[in-house]
Structure formats: C-alpha cells, structure tokens
C-alpha cells in the first residue's frame, strides 16, 4: 500500500512538471512583432530631414515640399488558413514630422505559425472612429470637427507647391471619412481601407518593414492637380473619394525579418 501511494505521488509530481514544461513551451511560442514604417518619393527615401524644401515633383508637374506628415494605423490582423483571425488592439499615430512612432510593437504577442494574410487598417474603421474616444489623439488635434462628421483624421499631409502663377502656395492633403453636406440628411462614405501585407510565417520575434510611397497619393489612379485641390479638402466629398482610391497604392511590404 505504501509503495502504491509513493508511486502515485511520483507520478503526480511528474505530471505537474510535464504540465509546467508544456506551458513554458506554449509561452515560448508567443512572439513579439514590430512594424517599421519607412517613406519614399518613388525611389528616393524620405525622412523629416527632407521636409521644408521644394524638391519633389508630382505627375501633374507641380514642384512641392512636405512640411508635415502623420497618419494612423489600427487593427493589425492575422488570419490563419482556416479563416480564424487574431486582431491586435490599439493603434499607432505615425508622426514623420517629429520622427516618432515610425516603429510600433503591439503589446500582445502572436503565436507561431503560418498566417495566410496579415493586414492593418489605414485610419479607424467605423466601430473605432467616434468622438472623444481617444484623449491622447484629442490632445494632438487629431480629431475632426463635428460639422464634418466628427471622429478622427486618417492622415495629415501638408506642404507647399509652386502654383500656376509661379507662387509658393500651401496645401493641406487631409484624409477623413467622406461627408456630403450638400444633401439632407448628410451622406457619409467609408474611406478607411485595409492594407494587405500578404502571407507571413512567424517562428520568432519578427519585424515587418513597410514603406509608404508618398508620391502615389498624387497620381494613382487619380492625377492630382494641386492648383485646383490644395485646401478645404476635408469637406470635399469627391476629393475624399479620390484620396481613398489613391491610398490603395501607397503602402508596400519591403521585407519580413526575424
């Protein structure tokens, strides 16, 4: 009887150790992910040291500078081959002007494995985009006035360009949810969009290197005429739709590296 009890105690201890080891193994298969955002004008790398100098040319032929660039990404999502999805909470306001938040590591770790699709939302979707939800964004003037539908910006791109009169003129290329104030009741159209980074296999801590080609905001598929469209774009329903269409082409995945 004593031998039986001793055997059961040993077996119980072994089971406990095995269970702990299995938990440790499971925990070790959770990995940190980092998303690095770089920026370019076609083949030229762009950082904030390139700001405030007229040195870029869009497809319409205007020479321009960049004085501000910041944009928001949210809902980073990993989709498994079986259709299951894992969406990371939180968001990141990339501020190129101040060279801040160009690298973002979400707090949750991701289980190892192969994912058929990795994506993020440019801006906020409708579920997340409502007034006064984010005090930190309110404090940096990221919110949209209520008369324009409220919620938050997706991007603020500003600078100066040489207009048709050879005069240096400011532009403000701000993207928000499109609103049509010319009808009653107001009509809204979704202009956030999903950026599909493709497939990824996660076997350790991994960094996604993502590039924004700023020039694409002005040329694909809609050639942008800054002489006609340079300011007051937030209440311009048609301009916001054109921005949304151009935005589909600005992001690309450069590499995934451990």
């Amino acid at each position: 009887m004593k031998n039986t009890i001793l055997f059961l105690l040993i077996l119980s201890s072994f089971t406990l150790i095995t269970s702990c080891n299995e938990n440790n193994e499971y925990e070790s298969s959770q990995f940190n992910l980092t998303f690095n955002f770089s920026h370019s004008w076609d083949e030229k790398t762009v950082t904030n040291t390139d700001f405030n100098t007229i040195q870029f040319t869009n497809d319409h032929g205007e020479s321009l500078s960049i004085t501000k660039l910041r944009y928001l990404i949210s809902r980073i999502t990993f989709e498994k081959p079986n259709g299951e999805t894992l969406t990371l909470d939180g968001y990141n306001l990339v501020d190129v002007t101040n060279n801040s938040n160009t690298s973002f590591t979400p707090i949750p770790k991701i289980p190892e494995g192969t994912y058929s699709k990795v994506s993020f939302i440019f801006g906020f979707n409708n579920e997340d985009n409502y007034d006064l939800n984010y005090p930190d964004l309110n404090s940096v003037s990221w919110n949209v006035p209520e008369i324009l539908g409220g919620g938050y910006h997706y991007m603020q791109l500003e600078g100066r360009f040489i207009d048709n009169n050879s005069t240096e003129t400011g532009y403000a290329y701000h993207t928000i949810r499109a609103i049509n104030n010319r009808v009653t009741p107001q009509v809204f159209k979704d202009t956030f969009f999903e950026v599909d980074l493709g497939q990824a296999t996660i076997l350790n801590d991994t960094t996604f290197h993502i590039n924004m080609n700023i020039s694409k905001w002005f040329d694909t598929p809609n050639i942008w005429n800054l002489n006609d469209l340079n300011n007051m774009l937030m209440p311009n329903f048609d301009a916001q739709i054109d921005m949304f269409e151009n935005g589909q082409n600005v992001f690309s995945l450069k590499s995934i590296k451990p």
Side-chain angles (χ1 to χ4, degrees), residues 10 20 22 128 147 185 212:
I10 294 173
C20 290
E22 288 175 350
D128 298 331
I147 195 173
M212 174 197 276

Side-chain angles (χ1 to χ4, degrees), residues 51-196:
F51 284 15
N52 304 304
T53 301
I54 292 180
Q55 58 176 302
F56 308 107
T57 303
N58 64 18
D59 269 18
H60 195 258
E62 287 110 6
S63 298
L64 61 115
S65 69
I66 301 169
T67 59
K68 175 190 284 188
L69 175 57
R70 55 182 185 167
Y71 57 93
L72 187 138
I73 65 122
S74 63
R75 290 195 175 246
I76 298 173
T77 300
F78 289 76
E79 182 175 324
K80 297 179 180 179
N82 64 5
E84 293 180 12
T85 59
L86 175 61
T87 299
L88 306 182
D89 293 332
Y91 54 86
N92 185 50
L93 180 59
V94 179
D95 188 342
V96 186
T97 312
N98 296 304
N99 194 31
S100 62
N101 299 334
T102 57
S103 183
F104 174 53
T105 301
I107 293 176
K109 295 184 178 183
I110 294 294
E112 68 177 350
T114 295
Y115 295 87
S116 56
K117 179 180 176 181
V118 181
S119 63
F120 64 85
I121 296 295
F122 176 77
F124 282 131
N125 68 9
N126 292 331
E127 183 178 342
D128 298 331
N129 191 23
Y130 56 91
D131 288 342
L132 306 179
N133 194 36
Y134 311 99
D136 58 322
L137 297 180
N138 297 334
S139 69
V140 294
S141 302
W142 195 244
N143 49 303
V144 172
E146 185 176 350
I147 195 173
L148 295 178
Y152 292 86
H153 287 81
Y154 305 153
M155 181 180 72
Q156 293 175 337
L157 169 58
E158 299 178 10
R160 303 187 69 79
F161 73 102
I162 306 300
D163 66 17
N164 287 339
N165 298 315
S166 300
T167 301
E168 193 172 309
T169 303
Y171 71 85
Y173 192 111
H174 290 191
T175 62
I176 63 171
R177 179 173 47 194
I179 178 173
N180 188 347
N181 281 321
R182 295 171 294 185
V183 297
T184 304
Q186 298 169 325
V187 173
F188 293 90
K189 185 174 178 61
D190 296 338
T191 47
F192 66 87
F193 55 85
E194 179 187 81
V195 177
D196 186 349

Side-chain angles (χ1 to χ4, degrees), residues 193-242:
F193 55 85
E194 179 187 81
V195 177
D196 186 349
L197 301 177
Q199 178 179 309
T201 298
I202 308 300
L203 298 176
N204 40 41
D205 290 348
T206 301
T207 299
F208 290 75
H209 295 274
I210 302 160
N211 185 69
M212 174 197 276
N213 185 347
I214 305 167
S215 73
K216 296 300 182 185
W217 286 110
F218 297 99
D219 62 37
T220 306
N222 303 298
I223 303 297
W224 203 267
N225 183 348
L226 278 172
N227 285 275
D228 294 337
L229 296 167
N230 51 65
N231 278 287
M232 295 298 294
L233 300 183
M234 290 171 62
N236 187 327
F237 183 84
D238 294 332
Q240 289 297 325
I241 300 304
D242 286 347

